[in-house]
Amino acid sequence: MIYGNVELHNIDEVVEVGDGGPVRLQRTPEAVRLKLNKYAQEKVLSPANAEIRFVCEGPSVRLTLSSKGQTDASIFYGPFQGKQSLVIGTEPQVVELHAQADRLARMPGVHGKAMAFSPKVCRIMLRGASLRIHKIEGDVRPPAAGEVPALRYLAYGTSITHGSAATGPHLTYVAQVARRLNADLINLGLGGAAHCEFEISDYIAARKDWHFATLELSVNMISAGFSLDDFYKRVSYMVNTVAGSDTSRPVACITIYTHHRDLSDSFNDADQNGSPEEYRQKLRDAVAACPHPNVHLLEGPDILQEIGDLTTDLLHPADNGMIQMGENLARKLEPLVKPLV
């Protein structure tokens, strides 16, 4: 969305905090957020792979920002990672950024023409707690067509998609996929809260701003105690609704990634309603029953192949795992996406 003179990427609504106060960034509209489970309502406010984007027409820009807790920000100019990183705390702070680093500013423009992101585009990549914007000062404009990728990739899923264990927003596996496919990422990962509510399915289906999607469905529903029948009902609705919204848009459904419950029965909860493999089979059944030709099934264990690529919680992929997942998933998506380019 465009806010003032910048683009708020992967943000669908800003909500004023208090009377005349700053605006809060959120990845879904408030009307959708309030219909989700209570954990998802909070996670929607976490800016997973959200960005503040702009092109400086003057020498610099000043942003006054604050956070509900702590928001980390990585600065990129197009695909180039800057040396500066920021930690935004609860008190408003002024962040001043220059148009470009000296050498990048002097680089001949011909070298940037083939890049998915123009080096002119300043990208403040966000992760962590909910971010609030108080003020933006400076001669800036939103990126124009041709300065950002035309192809857009939407990813729904759990904390693995959200990117909770990645050490930077650009290292989430879905960001790695987007990079390899020259796509712009819309990350709708909801850490710990991907329960496939009908409302989030309807919301994703109604969006017109994505060209292909992945649905990671969903280890969170094992943890939350959903029965196999309820799991099937929700994922079937999501698969059919999202794919049926426009059958020219490929939708890849990913079964549960390998994690601790696959390794030993000792990791399974006493009140668990089925094994990970039984939940995977329910998603396979839902995809097989879907009448739409644009639906595809991908097996999570084929994407995350090495247990050693997890963190010590044996659930969340570490950086090496995220990169490997990005490579594997991009390879599987490439033939589906190629006709769209």
Side-chain angles (χ1 to χ4, degrees):
M1 67 174 293
I2 302 301
Y3 175 73
N5 51 357
V6 302
E7 177 187 355
L8 302 180
H9 175 71
N10 197 27
I11 296 298
D12 205 11
E13 188 170 273
V14 296
V15 175
E16 191 173 283
V17 180
D19 186 15
V23 294
R24 178 184 72 201
L25 280 55
Q26 49 191 71
R27 288 181 287 146
T28 71
E30 187 73 351
V32 174
R33 186 181 80 89
L34 294 178
K35 293 177 181 177
L36 305 179
N37 67 81
K38 64 179 182 178
Y39 300 110
Q41 289 181 27
E42 289 300 313
K43 292 299 181 179
V44 160
L45 304 180
S46 172
N49 288 114
E51 301 180 18
I52 303 173
R53 294 177 177 172
F54 51 86
V55 175
C56 277
E57 303 284 24
S60 65
V61 61
R62 288 165 56 90
L63 304 97
T64 305
L65 309 171
S66 66
S67 171
K68 187 178 179 182
Q70 176 178 309
T71 305
D72 299 324
S74 301
I75 312 301
F76 279 68
Y77 291 90
F80 295 94
Q81 184 172 0
K83 293 182 178 180
Q84 184 178 10
S85 59
L86 307 169
V87 178
I88 310 300
T90 56
E91 293 299 317
Q93 65 188 83
V94 176
V95 174
E96 183 168 9
L97 298 174
H98 295 286
Q100 283 183 334
D102 181 57
R103 287 183 182 174
L104 191 56
R106 292 187 285 117
M107 184 184 75
V110 65
H111 296 294
K113 286 186 177 179
M115 296 177 180
F117 285 93
S118 167
K120 294 180 181 179
V121 179
C122 181
R123 306 165 61 196
I124 305 175
M125 295 186 180
L126 305 169
R127 58 176 288 156
S130 174
L131 187 77
R132 298 168 181 185
I133 297 178
H134 298 253
K135 188 186 299 184
I136 301 174
E137 303 169 282
D139 187 7
V140 297
R141 62 168 175 82
E147 293 179 327
V148 296
L151 187 67
R152 290 181 294 278
Y153 161 39
L154 185 145
Y156 173 79
T158 68
S159 56
I160 300 172
T161 295
H162 196 125
S164 64
T167 57
H170 60 295
L171 292 174
T172 65
Y173 81 92
V174 287
Q176 291 288 307
V177 168
R179 175 177 176 270
R180 285 163 174 75
L181 297 179
N182 288 329
D184 215 355
L185 172 63
I186 302 167
N187 188 339
L188 288 180
L190 299 174
H195 293 174
C196 300
E197 291 95 341
F198 295 164
E199 291 82 3
I200 197 70
S201 299
D202 293 340
Y203 168 69
I204 293 170
R207 290 184 67 145
K208 306 299 183 186
D209 59 347
W210 58 270
H211 299 98
F212 68 101
T214 56
L215 309 175
E216 178 221 342
L217 309 176
S218 160
V219 71
N220 294 156
M221 297 173 75
I222 298 180
S223 303
F226 282 87
S227 70
L228 288 165
D229 287 343
D230 286 341
F231 177 87
Y232 179 84
K233 184 183 300 183
R234 291 199 178 201
V235 300
S236 179
Y237 183 88
M238 176 170 276
V239 170
N240 282 275
T241 302
V242 173
S245 65
D246 182 346
T247 56
S248 70
R249 305 192 291 188
V251 176
C253 305
I254 304 172
T255 65
I256 294 168
Y257 292 121
T258 303
H259 66 290
H260 56 87
R261 293 184 183 90
D262 292 298
L263 306 182
S264 170
D265 287 341
S266 65
F267 288 119
N268 293 318
D269 301 326
D271 57 351
Q272 192 173 307
N273 291 304
S275 69
E277 187 57 26
E278 288 176 299
Y279 283 91
R280 292 186 184 106
Q281 187 58 49
K282 287 297 183 180
L283 179 55
R284 295 182 193 119
D285 294 344
V287 171
C290 180
H292 305 304
N294 55 322
V295 173
H296 307 271
L297 179 74
L298 300 178
E299 295 290 347
D302 291 341
I303 297 166
L304 175 62
Q305 298 174 344
E306 300 292 337
I307 287 294
D309 283 338
L310 296 173
T311 58
T312 53
D313 68 4
L314 298 181
L315 175 62
H316 297 96
D319 287 343
N320 285 337
M322 290 286 190
I323 293 169
Q324 188 65 53
M325 291 170 70
E327 292 176 352
N328 291 337
L329 182 53
R331 191 179 305 115
K332 293 176 182 296
L333 291 173
E334 187 173 16
L336 307 180
V337 172
K338 193 172 182 179
L340 304 175
V341 180

